[in-house]
Amino acid sequence: MRFTDKVVVVTGAAQGIGAVVAHQVAAEGGTVVLADRSQLVTEVAAGIAAGGAASRHHLCDLETYAGASELMAYAVAEFGRIDILINNVGGTIWAKPFEHYEAEEIEAEVRRSLFPTLWCCRAALPHMVERGAGVIVNISSIATRSRNRVPHAASKGGVNALTASLAFEAASKGIRVVATAPGGTEAPPRKVPRNPHEQSAQEALWYQEIVDQTTESTLFKRYGTLAEQAAPILFMASDDASYITGTVLPVGGGDQG
């Protein structure tokens, strides 16, 4: 029950790692605010509520500062504070060599995998500073060193830099800022795909290169599970990690990213 009496905001909570983290926070006594721009988040919230935990959900676009600000204001209005923020929005949209990316695709990748974390940190921070306490857990990626997804890698590199730099500023205010960097993760097919368009034969080959490289880069030669990714996130968010800040923890089966 590591999250008893804690108000925890989880972004990207409609599916995948975010949904698993939200369920586990609730199972360990936390009050959860689930955020996503997909209506699927209502199903996750309903499942948590059915288990008897206190939860709310909020539909918002976290690629904008307005969306992030609305989310944090909603959490504070509902529960009076934000103890923990888990920034889980992000993910590769396209997989191809950098010279094949269009300018608008590069911008879309950065908006997806850097700005939600940047905006949510900025929006949540004043509430935490006012209370003199808080934890921010950013979800990065070991894909900062990988092939066929340079814009995503650059975005997650930005998340790593944000984590390290903000930790310097926030420590004296009673706030920890940490991150985990997941590797390849086995998960059910996404109900809302990041790229809604069917892959061409060439795009499928480029994506397979990512799969092959990811598997070969791990010492275990396999993808991780959702539970294996959620557990380190929960640890970093909890008081068990009270003397850890500014750290990006690789969770890639030995691949350091």
Side-chain angles (χ1 to χ4, degrees), residues 109-247:
E109 293 277 9
V110 175
R111 286 196 305 272
R112 176 68 55 83
S113 290
L114 173 59
F115 274 97
T117 299
L118 191 70
W119 292 143
C120 283
C121 285
R122 173 61 182 83
L125 201 60
H127 300 290
M128 293 182 173
V129 169
E130 184 178 2
R131 295 185 60 246
V135 180
I136 296 173
V137 183
N138 298 324
I139 311 307
S140 180
S141 174
I142 61 170
T144 50
R145 293 174 60 89
S146 66
R147 64 189 305 160
N148 293 351
R149 42 187 170 169
V150 167
H152 174 71
S155 301
K156 290 302 190 179
V159 170
N160 292 348
L162 165 64
T163 300
S165 296
L166 185 55
F168 269 104
E169 294 185 14
S172 62
K173 300 162 187 171
I175 301 164
R176 291 194 301 112
V177 186
V178 292
T180 71
T185 305
E186 291 285 359
R190 291 181 60 84
K191 296 178 182 178
V192 180
R194 296 189 182 106
N195 182 356
H197 303 293
E198 186 175 351
Q199 287 183 330
S200 68
Q202 180 59 74
E203 288 171 334
L205 289 174
W206 284 332
Y207 188 82
Q208 187 60 44
E209 289 179 1
I210 288 179
V211 174
D212 294 342
Q213 183 228 310
T214 300
T215 304
E216 285 304 309
S217 295
T218 72
L219 304 186
F220 294 128
K221 306 306 178 189
R222 66 170 176 85
Y223 273 31
T225 67
L226 288 171
E228 286 173 326
Q229 295 301 339
I233 294 168
L234 294 162
F235 164 71
M236 294 291 261
S238 76
D239 290 341
D240 291 342
S242 59
Y243 197 54
I244 301 174
T245 196
T247 296

